Amino acid sequence: MAIDPKAIQLAGFVSQATFALTLTLLAWSDRRSRGMVWLAGACGLQLFALLSRSMWTTGNKSLNDAAGSCLLILLFFFVYMGLRWFVVRRKLRSISGPLGVSLCMVLVLAINPFSDALGLAVARLTALGIMGKTVEMLLNTRFRALRTNARTSAAFLTCVMGVVAFRLPIDLHILKMSGLVENLARAATMVSATLLLFSFVGIFVAESKRRLHDETRIDSLTGLRNRRAMEEIALHEVGVSLHTGRCLAMLMMDVDHFKRLNDTWGHSLGDRALRAIGGVLLTVTGADDRVMRMGGEEFAVLLPGHDMESAARVAERLRATVEGLRLNENDEIASFTISIGVGIWREGERGWTDMLRRADVALYRAKREGRNRVVMCSDGTPAKVAPAPVVAAPAADRAPILESRTGWRSSGVHRTAHAAEAEIAVAEVGQA
């Protein structure tokens, strides 16, 4: 059986050109996927190497071989950087990686004029090291939506590593192989590289789907999760509570007199107020995936592991911190408050709607009883509550109201307990 080397080279050129064009178009069409720019650059380098190979048969052979070896190192470094953007999404912690790649390229250029074999060996071993680091990174991706595609790319890249390792002793003339084996090695290189390029397209598609999924669940004004995301997260948390018996609470909150705030200060300040409240919710709870904007001026927070008392304390911290916020508008200072209702998940419930209903009951009761307060409802049973003055009454009377199964009672959490946190929040908003 005979394999035509020219046919292999032609097939490799066509596949590389096709993928170079495809990856370039993908990078151009979606400027946010900066990883595609690196991957398109890697494919362009490979295509340039194929086009230049015929020119490198003439002239200074040592210099041409050194340039080809450096191109190989640079190509796999581009692959590493492109895939890193997708599966890590963090900047390089240090320049040791790029510096090491640069030193290896300098070493190849310095060694190659004296020993072509040693320069090639340094280049191939460096490329194998970069590929090994890339495989390790792909297998430890932190994005669940990209995990399958990352592992597929890792498998194909491992195949490329195997082919490069197999061809190394052949290219160094350590092992003498027949022409058929060498042609098979070239064909294996082309096939594995083509499969790797297919996986790049797959990662781009998976990233686009992940981003679309997230964007449909993110509120554009505040950057918080929206109601659709809340339903999914609440179902997940209820499922965890069903299996583990863990407590679960939900806070529902509403900005007091938000229409009056917009009419008095303008919609721009209303938007700033909503963003500031979102920042407070994220800072105090420390959980960005369980803080939601339900719509308009209404927010919700899920608190896994919190019972009635601890949820009341978190709610009061939120209320007090928002009360301390001050926004500057046309050299005037604007302030606002929120009312919070808390609902507790009951053991045995298989859904989250009853917990939401109880939180809504508590929220509307807080607004009816004067606003700027925390009310907790455990069962939603109507109960008469004595009015709680907001300003004139002493601190004990101004504590948030809790509803237990036996009726309504004071939580004992005072609004002045977190004045220092409110001042910090005011400073943070002013700096923003």
Side-chain angles (χ1 to χ4, degrees), residues 270-304:
D271 292 344
R272 289 173 57 198
L274 294 177
R275 287 193 291 266
I277 292 172
V280 169
L281 299 181
L282 293 175
T283 302
V284 173
T285 62
D288 61 342
D289 60 337
R290 293 188 292 273
V291 177
M292 302 92 176
R293 182 188 177 200
M294 302 291 285
E297 67 273 19
E298 203 169 49
F299 296 84
V301 178
L302 281 171
L303 297 174

mmCIF file of all heavy atoms in Angstrom, residues 270-304:
data_model
loop_
_atom_site.group_PDB
_atom_site.id
_atom_site.type_symbol
_atom_site.label_atom_id
_atom_site.label_comp_id
_atom_site.label_asym_id
_atom_site.label_seq_id
_atom_site.Cartn_x
_atom_site.Cartn_y
_atom_site.Cartn_z
ATOM 1 N N GLY A 270 -33.059 56.957 40.143
ATOM 2 C CA GLY A 270 -33.738 55.702 40.460
ATOM 3 C C GLY A 270 -32.934 54.494 40.010
ATOM 4 O O GLY A 270 -32.813 53.504 40.741
ATOM 5 N N ASP A 271 -32.346 54.588 38.815
ATOM 6 C CA ASP A 271 -31.495 53.490 38.335
ATOM 7 C C ASP A 271 -30.260 53.344 39.207
ATOM 8 O O ASP A 271 -29.829 52.224 39.525
ATOM 9 C CB ASP A 271 -31.083 53.747 36.884
ATOM 10 C CG ASP A 271 -32.260 53.643 35.921
ATOM 11 O OD1 ASP A 271 -33.305 53.080 36.321
ATOM 12 O OD2 ASP A 271 -32.138 54.124 34.788
ATOM 13 N N ARG A 272 -29.667 54.471 39.610
ATOM 14 C CA ARG A 272 -28.500 54.411 40.495
ATOM 15 C C ARG A 272 -28.860 53.784 41.833
ATOM 16 O O ARG A 272 -28.074 53.026 42.412
ATOM 17 C CB ARG A 272 -27.927 55.808 40.705
ATOM 18 C CG ARG A 272 -27.219 56.405 39.486
ATOM 19 C CD ARG A 272 -26.847 57.849 39.743
ATOM 20 N NE ARG A 272 -25.997 57.967 40.933
ATOM 21 C CZ ARG A 272 -25.806 59.101 41.598
ATOM 22 N NH1 ARG A 272 -26.436 60.208 41.216
ATOM 23 N NH2 ARG A 272 -25.014 59.114 42.642
ATOM 24 N N ALA A 273 -30.050 54.109 42.326
ATOM 25 C CA ALA A 273 -30.487 53.529 43.592
ATOM 26 C C ALA A 273 -30.632 52.019 43.481
ATOM 27 O O ALA A 273 -30.214 51.275 44.383
ATOM 28 C CB ALA A 273 -31.810 54.164 44.023
ATOM 29 N N LEU A 274 -31.198 51.545 42.379
ATOM 30 C CA LEU A 274 -31.357 50.102 42.198
ATOM 31 C C LEU A 274 -29.994 49.414 42.117
ATOM 32 O O LEU A 274 -29.792 48.335 42.690
ATOM 33 C CB LEU A 274 -32.167 49.817 40.936
ATOM 34 C CG LEU A 274 -33.636 50.279 40.958
ATOM 35 C CD1 LEU A 274 -34.301 49.996 39.612
ATOM 36 C CD2 LEU A 274 -34.399 49.581 42.072
ATOM 37 N N ARG A 275 -29.050 50.034 41.406
ATOM 38 C CA ARG A 275 -27.709 49.442 41.328
ATOM 39 C C ARG A 275 -27.020 49.454 42.687
ATOM 40 O O ARG A 275 -26.314 48.504 43.047
ATOM 41 C CB ARG A 275 -26.870 50.189 40.287
ATOM 42 C CG ARG A 275 -27.267 49.893 38.849
ATOM 43 C CD ARG A 275 -26.215 50.407 37.880
ATOM 44 N NE ARG A 275 -26.192 51.859 37.846
ATOM 45 C CZ ARG A 275 -26.861 52.602 36.975
ATOM 46 N NH1 ARG A 275 -27.630 52.012 36.078
ATOM 47 N NH2 ARG A 275 -26.772 53.924 36.993
ATOM 48 N N ALA A 276 -27.212 50.537 43.441
ATOM 49 C CA ALA A 276 -26.596 50.607 44.769
ATOM 50 C C ALA A 276 -27.171 49.539 45.688
ATOM 51 O O ALA A 276 -26.436 48.892 46.450
ATOM 52 C CB ALA A 276 -26.820 51.996 45.367
ATOM 53 N N ILE A 277 -28.483 49.331 45.621
ATOM 54 C CA ILE A 277 -29.103 48.289 46.441
ATOM 55 C C ILE A 277 -28.581 46.915 46.034
ATOM 56 O O ILE A 277 -28.279 46.073 46.886
ATOM 57 C CB ILE A 277 -30.632 48.353 46.311
ATOM 58 C CG1 ILE A 277 -31.163 49.632 46.955
ATOM 59 C CG2 ILE A 277 -31.290 47.132 46.956
ATOM 60 C CD1 ILE A 277 -32.632 49.882 46.706
ATOM 61 N N GLY A 278 -28.447 46.694 44.733
ATOM 62 C CA GLY A 278 -27.869 45.426 44.292
ATOM 63 C C GLY A 278 -26.471 45.213 44.835
ATOM 64 O O GLY A 278 -26.109 44.108 45.243
ATOM 65 N N GLY A 279 -25.657 46.287 44.859
ATOM 66 C CA GLY A 279 -24.316 46.170 45.432
ATOM 67 C C GLY A 279 -24.336 45.840 46.909
ATOM 68 O O GLY A 279 -23.530 45.042 47.396
ATOM 69 N N VAL A 280 -25.279 46.441 47.650
ATOM 70 C CA VAL A 280 -25.403 46.132 49.074
ATOM 71 C C VAL A 280 -25.783 44.675 49.275
ATOM 72 O O VAL A 280 -25.229 43.980 50.141
ATOM 73 C CB VAL A 280 -26.446 47.061 49.729
ATOM 74 C CG1 VAL A 280 -26.786 46.592 51.137
ATOM 75 C CG2 VAL A 280 -25.922 48.492 49.768
ATOM 76 N N LEU A 281 -26.735 44.188 48.482
ATOM 77 C CA LEU A 281 -27.159 42.794 48.617
ATOM 78 C C LEU A 281 -26.005 41.831 48.358
ATOM 79 O O LEU A 281 -25.827 40.843 49.078
ATOM 80 C CB LEU A 281 -28.312 42.496 47.650
ATOM 81 C CG LEU A 281 -29.599 43.307 47.830
ATOM 82 C CD1 LEU A 281 -30.648 42.868 46.820
ATOM 83 C CD2 LEU A 281 -30.132 43.178 49.233
ATOM 84 N N LEU A 282 -25.216 42.122 47.350
ATOM 85 C CA LEU A 282 -24.073 41.255 47.046
ATOM 86 C C LEU A 282 -23.027 41.312 48.148
ATOM 87 O O LEU A 282 -22.459 40.287 48.538
ATOM 88 C CB LEU A 282 -23.451 41.662 45.711
ATOM 89 C CG LEU A 282 -24.299 41.445 44.461
ATOM 90 C CD1 LEU A 282 -23.586 42.015 43.240
ATOM 91 C CD2 LEU A 282 -24.575 39.966 44.242
ATOM 92 N N THR A 283 -22.762 42.506 48.663
ATOM 93 C CA THR A 283 -21.724 42.674 49.681
ATOM 94 C C THR A 283 -22.112 42.014 50.992
ATOM 95 O O THR A 283 -21.307 41.297 51.613
ATOM 96 C CB THR A 283 -21.444 44.163 49.915
ATOM 97 O OG1 THR A 283 -21.054 44.769 48.673
ATOM 98 C CG2 THR A 283 -20.344 44.350 50.936
ATOM 99 N N VAL A 284 -23.345 42.228 51.426
ATOM 100 C CA VAL A 284 -23.767 41.705 52.729
ATOM 101 C C VAL A 284 -23.947 40.198 52.694
ATOM 102 O O VAL A 284 -23.535 39.490 53.623
ATOM 103 C CB VAL A 284 -25.067 42.402 53.188
ATOM 104 C CG1 VAL A 284 -25.617 41.757 54.462
ATOM 105 C CG2 VAL A 284 -24.812 43.887 53.435
ATOM 106 N N THR A 285 -24.545 39.662 51.631
ATOM 107 C CA THR A 285 -24.797 38.217 51.568
ATOM 108 C C THR A 285 -23.590 37.442 51.068
ATOM 109 O O THR A 285 -23.405 36.281 51.434
ATOM 110 C CB THR A 285 -25.995 37.916 50.656
ATOM 111 O OG1 THR A 285 -25.702 38.352 49.312
ATOM 112 C CG2 THR A 285 -27.245 38.624 51.148
ATOM 113 N N GLY A 286 -22.751 38.073 50.223
ATOM 114 C CA GLY A 286 -21.575 37.378 49.706
ATOM 115 C C GLY A 286 -21.888 36.246 48.759
ATOM 116 O O GLY A 286 -21.080 35.342 48.587
ATOM 117 N N ALA A 287 -23.062 36.261 48.119
ATOM 118 C CA ALA A 287 -23.458 35.169 47.208
ATOM 119 C C ALA A 287 -24.132 35.769 45.995
ATOM 120 O O ALA A 287 -25.320 36.087 46.034
ATOM 121 C CB ALA A 287 -24.396 34.189 47.917
ATOM 122 N N ASP A 288 -23.378 35.964 44.902
ATOM 123 C CA ASP A 288 -23.932 36.620 43.730
ATOM 124 C C ASP A 288 -24.938 35.765 42.982
ATOM 125 O O ASP A 288 -25.761 36.279 42.224
ATOM 126 C CB ASP A 288 -22.814 37.050 42.780
ATOM 127 C CG ASP A 288 -22.005 35.867 42.276
ATOM 128 O OD1 ASP A 288 -22.075 34.792 42.894
ATOM 129 O OD2 ASP A 288 -21.303 36.025 41.262
ATOM 130 N N ASP A 289 -24.899 34.432 43.143
ATOM 131 C CA ASP A 289 -25.817 33.578 42.399
ATOM 132 C C ASP A 289 -27.151 33.390 43.102
ATOM 133 O O ASP A 289 -28.036 32.720 42.567
ATOM 134 C CB ASP A 289 -25.179 32.211 42.145
ATOM 135 C CG ASP A 289 -24.811 31.489 43.431
ATOM 136 O OD1 ASP A 289 -24.646 32.187 44.450
ATOM 137 O OD2 ASP A 289 -24.688 30.257 43.407
ATOM 138 N N ARG A 290 -27.336 33.966 44.287
ATOM 139 C CA ARG A 290 -28.615 33.824 44.995
ATOM 140 C C ARG A 290 -29.235 35.182 45.329
ATOM 141 O O ARG A 290 -30.104 35.275 46.188
ATOM 142 C CB ARG A 290 -28.418 33.006 46.266
ATOM 143 C CG ARG A 290 -28.042 31.556 45.986
ATOM 144 C CD ARG A 290 -28.047 30.721 47.244
ATOM 145 N NE ARG A 290 -26.985 31.098 48.157
ATOM 146 C CZ ARG A 290 -25.748 30.606 48.107
ATOM 147 N NH1 ARG A 290 -25.430 29.723 47.170
ATOM 148 N NH2 ARG A 290 -24.837 30.981 48.977
ATOM 149 N N VAL A 291 -28.780 36.225 44.628
ATOM 150 C CA VAL A 291 -29.346 37.567 44.765
ATOM 151 C C VAL A 291 -30.010 37.910 43.436
ATOM 152 O O VAL A 291 -29.370 37.853 42.391
ATOM 153 C CB VAL A 291 -28.258 38.599 45.121
ATOM 154 C CG1 VAL A 291 -28.855 40.001 45.189
ATOM 155 C CG2 VAL A 291 -27.590 38.231 46.432
ATOM 156 N N MET A 292 -31.285 38.269 43.466
ATOM 157 C CA MET A 292 -32.038 38.476 42.239
ATOM 158 C C MET A 292 -32.807 39.787 42.262
ATOM 159 O O MET A 292 -33.228 40.258 43.321
ATOM 160 C CB MET A 292 -33.064 37.339 42.016
ATOM 161 C CG MET A 292 -32.483 35.958 41.952
ATOM 162 S SD MET A 292 -32.491 35.193 43.577
ATOM 163 C CE MET A 292 -31.869 33.546 43.163
ATOM 164 N N ARG A 293 -32.976 40.346 41.092
ATOM 165 C CA ARG A 293 -33.932 41.434 40.905
ATOM 166 C C ARG A 293 -35.161 40.844 40.237
ATOM 167 O O ARG A 293 -35.104 40.386 39.090
ATOM 168 C CB ARG A 293 -33.340 42.548 40.041
ATOM 169 C CG ARG A 293 -34.290 43.738 39.867
ATOM 170 C CD ARG A 293 -33.779 44.728 38.858
ATOM 171 N NE ARG A 293 -34.725 45.830 38.652
ATOM 172 C CZ ARG A 293 -34.716 46.619 37.579
ATOM 173 N NH1 ARG A 293 -33.818 46.435 36.626
ATOM 174 N NH2 ARG A 293 -35.605 47.581 37.452
ATOM 175 N N MET A 294 -36.265 40.855 40.958
ATOM 176 C CA MET A 294 -37.471 40.211 40.460
ATOM 177 C C MET A 294 -38.163 41.030 39.385
ATOM 178 O O MET A 294 -38.933 40.515 38.582
ATOM 179 C CB MET A 294 -38.436 39.976 41.628
ATOM 180 C CG MET A 294 -37.858 39.130 42.745
ATOM 181 S SD MET A 294 -37.630 37.430 42.226
ATOM 182 C CE MET A 294 -39.323 36.863 42.251
ATOM 183 N N GLY A 295 -37.896 42.327 39.356
ATOM 184 C CA GLY A 295 -38.548 43.211 38.408
ATOM 185 C C GLY A 295 -38.886 44.523 39.076
ATOM 186 O O GLY A 295 -39.240 44.558 40.261
ATOM 187 N N GLY A 296 -38.800 45.635 38.313
ATOM 188 C CA GLY A 296 -39.094 46.924 38.905
ATOM 189 C C GLY A 296 -38.160 47.219 40.058
ATOM 190 O O GLY A 296 -36.939 47.135 39.943
ATOM 191 N N GLU A 297 -38.747 47.551 41.229
ATOM 192 C CA GLU A 297 -37.957 47.853 42.424
ATOM 193 C C GLU A 297 -37.974 46.707 43.416
ATOM 194 O O GLU A 297 -37.693 46.899 44.599
ATOM 195 C CB GLU A 297 -38.476 49.127 43.089
ATOM 196 C CG GLU A 297 -39.857 49.033 43.690
ATOM 197 C CD GLU A 297 -40.980 49.338 42.702
ATOM 198 O OE1 GLU A 297 -40.736 49.285 41.476
ATOM 199 O OE2 GLU A 297 -42.080 49.630 43.163
ATOM 200 N N GLU A 298 -38.272 45.502 42.962
ATOM 201 C CA GLU A 298 -38.400 44.353 43.856
ATOM 202 C C GLU A 298 -37.194 43.433 43.718
ATOM 203 O O GLU A 298 -36.789 43.077 42.609
ATOM 204 C CB GLU A 298 -39.682 43.589 43.537
ATOM 205 C CG GLU A 298 -40.200 42.739 44.687
ATOM 206 C CD GLU A 298 -41.596 42.213 44.426
ATOM 207 O OE1 GLU A 298 -41.806 41.667 43.318
ATOM 208 O OE2 GLU A 298 -42.479 42.346 45.299
ATOM 209 N N PHE A 299 -36.636 43.021 44.862
ATOM 210 C CA PHE A 299 -35.473 42.148 44.898
ATOM 211 C C PHE A 299 -35.790 40.923 45.744
ATOM 212 O O PHE A 299 -36.717 40.928 46.567
ATOM 213 C CB PHE A 299 -34.265 42.876 45.499
ATOM 214 C CG PHE A 299 -33.780 44.045 44.699
ATOM 215 C CD1 PHE A 299 -34.367 45.295 44.835
ATOM 216 C CD2 PHE A 299 -32.734 43.900 43.805
ATOM 217 C CE1 PHE A 299 -33.925 46.373 44.103
ATOM 218 C CE2 PHE A 299 -32.279 44.977 43.057
ATOM 219 C CZ PHE A 299 -32.881 46.222 43.213
ATOM 220 N N ALA A 300 -34.984 39.877 45.560
ATOM 221 C CA ALA A 300 -35.129 38.654 46.352
ATOM 222 C C ALA A 300 -33.750 38.092 46.646
ATOM 223 O O ALA A 300 -32.810 38.252 45.849
ATOM 224 C CB ALA A 300 -35.977 37.613 45.618
ATOM 225 N N VAL A 301 -33.627 37.439 47.794
ATOM 226 C CA VAL A 301 -32.378 36.793 48.194
ATOM 227 C C VAL A 301 -32.718 35.428 48.777
ATOM 228 O O VAL A 301 -33.607 35.313 49.630
ATOM 229 C CB VAL A 301 -31.609 37.624 49.244
ATOM 230 C CG1 VAL A 301 -30.335 36.896 49.666
ATOM 231 C CG2 VAL A 301 -31.276 39.005 48.709
ATOM 232 N N LEU A 302 -32.027 34.403 48.315
ATOM 233 C CA LEU A 302 -32.144 33.070 48.896
ATOM 234 C C LEU A 302 -31.029 32.890 49.912
ATOM 235 O O LEU A 302 -29.869 33.229 49.640
ATOM 236 C CB LEU A 302 -32.048 31.996 47.814
ATOM 237 C CG LEU A 302 -33.300 31.739 46.982
ATOM 238 C CD1 LEU A 302 -32.965 30.816 45.817
ATOM 239 C CD2 LEU A 302 -34.418 31.144 47.818
ATOM 240 N N LEU A 303 -31.371 32.325 51.071
ATOM 241 C CA LEU A 303 -30.399 32.136 52.142
ATOM 242 C C LEU A 303 -30.378 30.673 52.577
ATOM 243 O O LEU A 303 -31.046 30.290 53.553
ATOM 244 C CB LEU A 303 -30.738 33.035 53.334
ATOM 245 C CG LEU A 303 -30.698 34.549 53.090
ATOM 246 C CD1 LEU A 303 -31.184 35.290 54.313
ATOM 247 C CD2 LEU A 303 -29.292 34.991 52.695
ATOM 248 N N PRO A 304 -29.629 29.820 51.884
ATOM 249 C CA PRO A 304 -29.514 28.418 52.320
ATOM 250 C C PRO A 304 -28.803 28.340 53.663
ATOM 251 O O PRO A 304 -27.846 29.072 53.931
ATOM 252 C CB PRO A 304 -28.679 27.776 51.205
ATOM 253 C CG PRO A 304 -28.774 28.707 50.043
ATOM 254 C CD PRO A 304 -28.922 30.069 50.626
#
